[in-house]
Amino acid sequence: MEKIAISCILEVYPNVDALSTWQQQLLQAATKALDSAYAPYSQFRVGAALLMDDDSIVTGSNQENAAYPSGLCAERVAFFTAGSQFPGKIIKAVAITTSYPLEQPIAPCGACRQVMAEYELKQQTPIQLILSSGEGNIYTMANCRDMLPLYFSGEWLKK
Ligand code: THU
């Protein structure tokens, strides 16, 4: 029997002021996206902002539905918007935040991690990650795929 340790590296910043200018701007865009969240059932508003390779920003917010599983997370709203509206553009970074009071930065759900990992594979370029919950520490990561080490690969479907 062999044991394998899988690890990832997070950078921890004490507050927004410790981020670079572009990171602060992207996080601001994610925070603004909170205004369009439709979360009447959970009251858990989430905003996501993607920085594209032409420096434009694509945002998304969570959209809930009375038939609960029909709703969608902010991250996937943003990534699918970018994928469908701007299929030729590269996504350079994503910032995610919530207005819900948390003691730590928001952590994307598994389904969103899978989607983000596949967009990285699709564009063959890492997508930097910025996680916040409005207050306190901010986490950054150099790529999204590290958040889901054992992601399901589309390559397996091509065999
Ligand atoms: N949600 C997101 O938008 N992103 C996540 O990464 C986790 C959860 C949303 C889904 C739902 O509208 C609400 O937060 C509570 O689960």
Side-chain angles (χ1 to χ4, degrees):
M1 192 269 282
E2 187 188 350
K3 289 188 181 176
I4 301 173
I6 303 176
S7 61
C8 68
I9 296 189
L10 282 174
E11 289 173 341
V12 184
Y13 293 86
N15 53 48
V16 181
D17 296 332
L19 297 175
S20 68
T21 306
W22 74 262
Q23 287 174 321
Q24 291 186 27
Q25 286 168 349
L26 198 60
L27 195 49
Q28 271 167 18
T31 304
K32 191 158 188 309
L34 292 169
D35 295 341
S36 65
Y38 176 60
Y41 306 106
S42 71
Q43 311 299 329
F44 195 106
R45 302 167 83 86
V46 184
L50 311 184
L51 178 63
M52 314 301 287
D53 59 354
D54 61 355
D55 288 336
S56 61
I57 290 177
V58 175
T59 62
S61 56
N62 56 328
Q63 302 296 316
E64 297 184 350
N65 190 276
Y68 291 173
S70 305
L72 202 60
C73 293
E75 296 90 326
R76 277 175 287 163
V77 170
F79 275 80
F80 293 156
T81 299
S84 57
Q85 301 278 310
F86 311 107
K89 293 187 189 175
I90 300 282
I91 302 164
K92 292 200 296 189
V94 53
I96 306 163
T97 193
T98 180
S99 54
Y100 203 84
L102 301 178
E103 302 79 44
Q104 60 187 52
I106 187 170
C109 78
C112 289
R113 293 180 196 208
Q114 175 70 30
V115 166
M116 292 191 255
E118 181 146 340
Y119 273 85
E120 274 189 344
L121 278 180
K122 180 186 171 211
Q123 67 180 30
Q124 294 290 305
T125 307
I127 300 171
Q128 293 184 54
L129 182 73
I130 302 164
L131 300 176
S132 164
S133 60
E135 287 183 1
N137 283 348
I138 295 161
Y139 293 162
T140 68
M141 283 179 80
N143 70 72
C144 290
R145 235 180 304 167
D146 281 1
M147 276 194 302
L148 189 64
L150 301 182
Y151 60 89
F152 184 85
S153 171
E155 292 302 313
W156 301 337
L157 300 175
K158 294 174 188 161
K159 292 197 168 133

Coordinates of all heavy atoms in Angstrom, one line a residue, residues 48-114:
A48 N -19.5 36.6 -8.5 CA -18.3 36.2 -9.1 C -17.9 37.1 -10.2 O -18.8 37.6 -10.9 CB -18.5 34.7 -9.6
A49 N -16.7 37.4 -10.4 CA -16.2 38.3 -11.5 C -15.0 37.6 -12.2 O -14.1 37.2 -11.5 CB -15.9 39.6 -11.0
L50 N -15.1 37.5 -13.5 CA -14.0 37.0 -14.3 C -13.2 38.1 -15.0 O -13.8 38.9 -15.7 CB -14.5 36.0 -15.3 CG -15.5 34.9 -14.9 CD1 -15.8 34.0 -16.1 CD2 -15.0 34.1 -13.7
L51 N -11.9 38.0 -14.9 CA -11.1 38.9 -15.7 C -10.7 38.2 -17.0 O -10.0 37.2 -17.0 CB -9.8 39.3 -14.9 CG -8.8 40.3 -15.6 CD1 -9.5 41.6 -15.9 CD2 -7.6 40.5 -14.7
M52 N -11.0 38.8 -18.1 CA -10.7 38.2 -19.4 C -9.4 38.8 -20.0 O -8.9 39.8 -19.5 CB -11.9 38.5 -20.4 CG -13.3 38.3 -19.8 SD -13.6 36.6 -19.3 CE -13.7 35.8 -20.8
D53 N -8.9 38.1 -21.0 CA -7.6 38.5 -21.5 C -7.6 39.8 -22.2 O -6.5 40.3 -22.5 CB -7.0 37.4 -22.4 CG -7.8 37.0 -23.6 OD1 -9.0 37.6 -23.7 OD2 -7.4 36.2 -24.5
D54 N -8.7 40.4 -22.5 CA -8.7 41.8 -23.1 C -9.0 42.8 -21.9 O -9.4 43.9 -22.2 CB -9.8 41.9 -24.2 CG -11.2 41.6 -23.7 OD1 -11.3 41.2 -22.5 OD2 -12.1 41.8 -24.5
D55 N -8.9 42.3 -20.7 CA -9.1 43.1 -19.5 C -10.6 43.5 -19.3 O -10.9 44.3 -18.4 CB -8.3 44.4 -19.5 CG -6.8 44.0 -19.2 OD1 -6.6 43.0 -18.6 OD2 -5.9 44.8 -19.6
S56 N -11.5 42.9 -20.0 CA -12.9 43.1 -19.7 C -13.3 42.2 -18.6 O -12.5 41.3 -18.2 CB -13.8 42.8 -20.9 OG -13.6 41.5 -21.3
I57 N -14.4 42.5 -17.9 CA -14.9 41.7 -16.8 C -16.2 41.1 -17.0 O -17.1 41.8 -17.5 CB -14.9 42.6 -15.5 CG1 -13.4 42.9 -15.1 CG2 -15.6 41.9 -14.4 CD1 -13.3 43.8 -13.9
V58 N -16.4 39.8 -16.8 CA -17.7 39.2 -16.9 C -18.1 38.8 -15.5 O -17.3 38.2 -14.7 CB -17.6 37.9 -17.8 CG1 -18.9 37.1 -17.8 CG2 -17.2 38.3 -19.2
T59 N -19.4 39.1 -15.1 CA -19.8 38.8 -13.8 C -21.0 37.8 -13.7 O -21.6 37.6 -14.7 CB -20.2 40.1 -13.0 OG1 -21.3 40.7 -13.7 CG2 -19.1 41.0 -12.9
G60 N -21.2 37.2 -12.6 CA -22.3 36.3 -12.4 C -22.7 36.4 -10.9 O -21.9 36.8 -10.0
S61 N -24.0 36.0 -10.6 CA -24.4 35.9 -9.3 C -25.3 34.7 -9.1 O -25.9 34.2 -10.2 CB -25.2 37.2 -8.9 OG -26.3 37.5 -9.8
N62 N -25.5 34.2 -7.9 CA -26.3 33.0 -7.8 C -27.8 33.3 -8.1 O -28.3 34.4 -7.7 CB -26.2 32.3 -6.5 CG -26.4 33.2 -5.3 OD1 -26.2 34.4 -5.3 ND2 -26.9 32.6 -4.2
Q63 N -28.5 32.4 -8.8 CA -29.8 32.5 -9.2 C -30.6 31.3 -8.7 O -30.4 30.2 -9.2 CB -29.9 32.6 -10.7 CG -29.1 33.8 -11.3 CD -29.6 35.2 -10.9 OE1 -30.8 35.4 -10.9 NE2 -28.7 36.1 -10.5
E64 N -31.4 31.5 -7.7 CA -32.2 30.4 -7.1 C -33.5 30.2 -7.8 O -34.0 31.1 -8.6 CB -32.3 30.7 -5.6 CG -30.9 30.7 -4.9 CD -31.0 30.8 -3.4 OE1 -32.1 31.1 -2.8 OE2 -29.9 30.6 -2.8
N65 N -34.2 29.1 -7.4 CA -35.5 28.8 -8.0 C -36.3 28.0 -7.0 O -35.7 27.3 -6.2 CB -35.3 28.0 -9.3 CG -36.5 27.8 -10.0 OD1 -37.4 26.9 -9.7 ND2 -36.7 28.6 -11.0
A66 N -37.6 28.2 -7.0 CA -38.5 27.5 -6.0 C -38.3 26.0 -6.2 O -38.4 25.3 -5.2 CB -39.9 27.9 -6.3
A67 N -38.0 25.5 -7.4 CA -37.6 24.1 -7.5 C -36.1 24.1 -7.3 O -35.3 24.3 -8.2 CB -37.9 23.6 -8.9
Y68 N -35.6 23.9 -6.1 CA -34.3 24.2 -5.6 C -33.1 23.8 -6.6 O -32.3 24.6 -6.9 CB -34.0 23.7 -4.2 CG -34.8 24.3 -3.1 CD1 -34.7 23.8 -1.8 CD2 -35.6 25.4 -3.3 CE1 -35.5 24.4 -0.8 CE2 -36.3 26.0 -2.3 CZ -36.2 25.5 -1.0 OH -36.9 26.1 0.0
P69 N -33.1 22.6 -7.1 CA -31.9 22.2 -7.9 C -31.9 22.9 -9.2 O -30.9 22.9 -9.9 CB -32.1 20.7 -8.1 CG -33.2 20.3 -7.2 CD -34.0 21.5 -6.9
S70 N -32.9 23.6 -9.6 CA -32.9 24.4 -10.8 C -32.1 25.6 -10.8 O -31.7 26.2 -11.8 CB -34.3 24.7 -11.3 OG -35.2 23.6 -11.3
G71 N -31.8 26.1 -9.6 CA -30.9 27.3 -9.4 C -29.5 27.0 -9.8 O -29.1 25.9 -10.1
L72 N -28.7 28.1 -9.9 CA -27.3 27.9 -10.3 C -26.4 28.9 -9.4 O -26.8 30.0 -9.1 CB -27.1 28.3 -11.8 CG -25.9 27.7 -12.4 CD1 -25.9 26.2 -12.3 CD2 -25.8 28.1 -13.9
C73 N -25.2 28.4 -9.1 CA -24.3 29.2 -8.3 C -23.7 30.3 -9.2 O -23.7 30.3 -10.4 CB -23.1 28.3 -7.9 SG -23.5 27.0 -6.8
A74 N -23.2 31.3 -8.5 CA -22.7 32.5 -9.1 C -21.5 32.2 -10.0 O -21.4 32.7 -11.1 CB -22.2 33.5 -8.0
E75 N -20.7 31.2 -9.6 CA -19.5 30.9 -10.4 C -19.9 30.3 -11.7 O -19.3 30.7 -12.8 CB -18.6 29.9 -9.6 CG -18.0 30.3 -8.3 CD -18.9 30.1 -7.1 OE1 -20.2 30.1 -7.3 OE2 -18.4 29.8 -6.0
R76 N -20.8 29.4 -11.7 CA -21.2 28.8 -13.0 C -22.0 29.8 -13.9 O -21.8 29.7 -15.1 CB -22.0 27.5 -12.7 CG -21.0 26.3 -12.5 CD -21.8 25.1 -12.2 NE -22.3 25.1 -10.8 CZ -23.3 24.3 -10.4 NH1 -23.8 23.4 -11.2 NH2 -23.7 24.4 -9.1
V77 N -22.8 30.7 -13.3 CA -23.4 31.7 -14.1 C -22.3 32.5 -14.8 O -22.4 32.8 -16.0 CB -24.3 32.6 -13.2 CG1 -24.8 33.8 -14.0 CG2 -25.5 31.8 -12.6
A78 N -21.3 32.9 -14.1 CA -20.2 33.7 -14.7 C -19.4 33.0 -15.7 O -19.2 33.4 -16.8 CB -19.3 34.2 -13.6
F79 N -19.0 31.7 -15.4 CA -18.2 31.0 -16.4 C -19.0 30.6 -17.6 O -18.5 30.7 -18.7 CB -17.7 29.7 -15.7 CG -16.4 29.9 -15.0 CD1 -16.4 30.5 -13.7 CD2 -15.2 29.6 -15.6 CE1 -15.2 30.7 -13.1 CE2 -14.0 29.9 -15.0 CZ -14.0 30.4 -13.7
F80 N -20.3 30.2 -17.4 CA -21.1 29.9 -18.6 C -21.4 31.1 -19.4 O -21.6 31.0 -20.7 CB -22.4 29.1 -18.2 CG -22.1 27.8 -17.6 CD1 -23.0 27.2 -16.7 CD2 -21.0 27.0 -17.9 CE1 -22.8 25.9 -16.2 CE2 -20.7 25.8 -17.3 CZ -21.7 25.2 -16.5
T81 N -21.6 32.2 -18.8 CA -21.8 33.5 -19.5 C -20.5 33.8 -20.4 O -20.7 34.0 -21.6 CB -22.0 34.7 -18.6 OG1 -23.2 34.4 -17.8 CG2 -22.2 36.0 -19.4
A82 N -19.4 33.7 -19.8 CA -18.1 33.9 -20.5 C -18.0 32.9 -21.7 O -17.6 33.2 -22.8 CB -16.9 33.8 -19.6
G83 N -18.3 31.6 -21.3 CA -18.1 30.6 -22.4 C -19.0 30.7 -23.5 O -18.7 30.4 -24.7
S84 N -20.2 31.2 -23.3 CA -21.2 31.3 -24.3 C -21.1 32.7 -25.1 O -21.3 32.7 -26.3 CB -22.6 31.1 -23.8 OG -22.9 32.0 -22.8
Q85 N -20.8 33.7 -24.3 CA -20.8 35.0 -25.0 C -19.4 35.4 -25.6 O -19.3 36.1 -26.6 CB -21.0 36.1 -23.9 CG -22.4 36.0 -23.2 CD -23.5 36.6 -24.0 OE1 -23.4 37.7 -24.5 NE2 -24.6 35.8 -24.2
F86 N -18.3 34.8 -25.0 CA -17.0 35.2 -25.4 C -16.1 33.9 -25.5 O -15.1 33.8 -24.9 CB -16.3 36.2 -24.5 CG -17.2 37.3 -24.1 CD1 -17.8 37.4 -22.9 CD2 -17.5 38.3 -25.1 CE1 -18.6 38.5 -22.6 CE2 -18.3 39.4 -24.8 CZ -18.9 39.5 -23.5
P87 N -16.5 33.0 -26.4 CA -15.8 31.7 -26.4 C -14.4 31.8 -26.8 O -13.6 30.9 -26.5 CB -16.6 30.9 -27.5 CG -17.4 31.9 -28.3 CD -17.6 33.1 -27.4
G88 N -14.0 32.8 -27.5 CA -12.6 33.0 -27.9 C -11.7 33.6 -26.9 O -10.4 33.6 -27.1
K89 N -12.2 34.2 -25.9 CA -11.4 34.9 -24.9 C -10.9 33.9 -23.8 O -11.6 33.0 -23.4 CB -12.2 36.0 -24.2 CG -12.6 37.1 -25.2 CD -13.2 38.3 -24.4 CE -13.8 39.3 -25.3 NZ -14.5 40.4 -24.6
I90 N -9.7 34.3 -23.3 CA -9.1 33.5 -22.2 C -9.5 34.1 -20.9 O -9.5 35.4 -20.7 CB -7.6 33.6 -22.3 CG1 -7.1 32.9 -23.6 CG2 -6.9 32.9 -21.1 CD1 -7.0 31.5 -23.6
I91 N -9.9 33.3 -19.9 CA -10.2 33.8 -18.6 C -8.9 33.8 -17.7 O -8.3 32.8 -17.6 CB -11.3 32.9 -17.9 CG1 -12.5 32.8 -18.7 CG2 -11.6 33.4 -16.5 CD1 -13.5 31.7 -18.3
K92 N -8.5 35.0 -17.3 CA -7.3 35.1 -16.5 C -7.4 34.9 -15.0 O -6.5 34.4 -14.4 CB -6.6 36.5 -16.8 CG -6.2 36.7 -18.2 CD -5.2 37.8 -18.4 CE -5.7 39.2 -18.0 NZ -4.8 40.3 -18.3
A93 N -8.6 35.3 -14.5 CA -8.7 35.3 -13.0 C -10.2 35.3 -12.7 O -11.0 35.8 -13.5 CB -8.0 36.4 -12.4
V94 N -10.5 34.8 -11.5 CA -11.9 34.8 -11.0 C -11.8 35.3 -9.5 O -11.0 34.8 -8.8 CB -12.6 33.5 -11.1 CG1 -11.9 32.3 -10.5 CG2 -14.0 33.6 -10.5
A95 N -12.7 36.2 -9.2 CA -12.9 36.6 -7.8 C -14.3 36.2 -7.4 O -15.3 36.4 -8.1 CB -12.7 38.1 -7.7
I96 N -14.4 35.7 -6.2 CA -15.7 35.2 -5.7 C -15.9 35.8 -4.2 O -15.0 35.7 -3.4 CB -15.7 33.7 -5.6 CG1 -15.4 33.1 -7.0 CG2 -17.1 33.1 -5.2 CD1 -14.9 31.6 -6.9
T97 N -17.1 36.2 -4.0 CA -17.4 36.8 -2.6 C -18.8 36.5 -2.3 O -19.6 36.2 -3.1 CB -17.0 38.3 -2.6 OG1 -17.0 38.7 -1.2 CG2 -18.0 39.1 -3.3
T98 N -19.1 36.8 -1.0 CA -20.5 36.7 -0.5 C -20.8 37.8 0.5 O -19.9 38.3 1.1 CB -20.7 35.3 0.2 OG1 -22.1 35.2 0.6 CG2 -19.8 35.1 1.4
S99 N -22.1 38.1 0.6 CA -22.4 39.1 1.6 C -22.9 38.4 2.9 O -23.2 39.0 3.9 CB -23.6 40.0 1.1 OG -24.6 39.2 0.6
Y100 N -22.9 37.1 2.8 CA -23.3 36.3 4.0 C -22.2 36.3 5.0 O -21.0 36.1 4.7 CB -23.6 34.8 3.6 CG -24.5 34.1 4.5 CD1 -25.9 34.2 4.4 CD2 -24.0 33.2 5.5 CE1 -26.7 33.5 5.2 CE2 -24.8 32.5 6.3 CZ -26.2 32.6 6.2 OH -27.0 32.0 7.0
P101 N -22.5 36.5 6.3 CA -21.4 36.6 7.3 C -20.7 35.3 7.5 O -21.3 34.4 8.1 CB -22.1 37.1 8.6 CG -23.5 36.8 8.4 CD -23.8 36.8 6.9
L102 N -19.5 35.2 7.1 CA -18.7 34.0 7.2 C -17.4 34.3 8.0 O -16.9 35.4 7.9 CB -18.3 33.4 5.9 CG -19.4 32.9 4.9 CD1 -18.8 32.4 3.6 CD2 -20.3 31.9 5.6
E103 N -16.8 33.3 8.7 CA -15.5 33.6 9.4 C -14.3 33.4 8.5 O -13.2 33.6 8.9 CB -15.4 32.7 10.6 CG -16.5 32.7 11.6 CD -17.7 31.9 11.2 OE1 -17.5 30.8 10.7 OE2 -18.8 32.4 11.3
Q104 N -14.6 32.9 7.3 CA -13.4 32.6 6.4 C -13.9 32.9 4.9 O -15.1 33.0 4.7 CB -13.0 31.2 6.5 CG -14.1 30.2 6.1 CD -13.7 28.8 6.4 OE1 -13.3 28.4 7.5 NE2 -13.9 27.9 5.4
P105 N -13.0 33.0 4.0 CA -13.4 33.3 2.6 C -14.3 32.1 2.1 O -14.2 31.0 2.5 CB -12.0 33.2 1.9 CG -11.0 33.6 2.9 CD -11.5 33.0 4.2
I106 N -15.2 32.5 1.2 CA -16.1 31.5 0.7 C -15.3 30.4 -0.1 O -14.3 30.7 -0.7 CB -17.1 32.2 -0.3 CG1 -18.2 31.2 -0.7 CG2 -16.5 32.8 -1.5 CD1 -19.4 31.8 -1.5
A107 N -15.8 29.2 0.0 CA -15.1 28.1 -0.8 C -16.2 27.6 -1.8 O -17.2 27.2 -1.4 CB -14.7 27.0 0.2
P108 N -15.8 27.6 -3.1 CA -16.7 27.2 -4.1 C -17.2 25.7 -3.9 O -16.4 24.9 -3.5 CB -15.9 27.4 -5.4 CG -14.9 28.3 -5.1 CD -14.5 28.1 -3.6
C109 N -18.4 25.5 -4.3 CA -18.9 24.1 -4.2 C -18.2 23.2 -5.2 O -17.6 23.6 -6.1 CB -20.4 24.1 -4.4 SG -21.0 24.1 -6.1
G110 N -18.4 21.9 -5.0 CA -17.7 20.9 -5.8 C -18.1 21.0 -7.3 O -17.2 20.9 -8.2
A111 N -19.4 21.2 -7.6 CA -19.8 21.3 -9.0 C -19.1 22.5 -9.7 O -18.7 22.4 -10.8 CB -21.3 21.5 -9.1
C112 N -19.0 23.6 -9.0 CA -18.3 24.8 -9.5 C -16.8 24.6 -9.7 O -16.2 25.0 -10.7 CB -18.6 26.0 -8.7 SG -20.3 26.6 -8.8
R113 N -16.2 23.8 -8.8 CA -14.8 23.5 -8.9 C -14.6 22.7 -10.2 O -13.6 22.9 -10.9 CB -14.3 22.7 -7.7 CG -14.3 23.6 -6.5 CD -13.8 22.8 -5.2 NE -14.2 23.5 -4.0 CZ -13.6 23.5 -2.9 NH1 -12.5 22.8 -2.8 NH2 -14.0 24.2 -1.9
Q114 N -15.5 21.7 -10.4 CA -15.4 20.9 -11.6 C -15.5 21.7 -12.9 O -14.7 21.6 -13.8 CB -16.5 19.8 -11.6 CG -16.6 19.0 -12.8 CD -15.4 18.0 -13.0 OE1 -14.8 17.5 -12.0 NE2 -15.1 17.7 -14.2

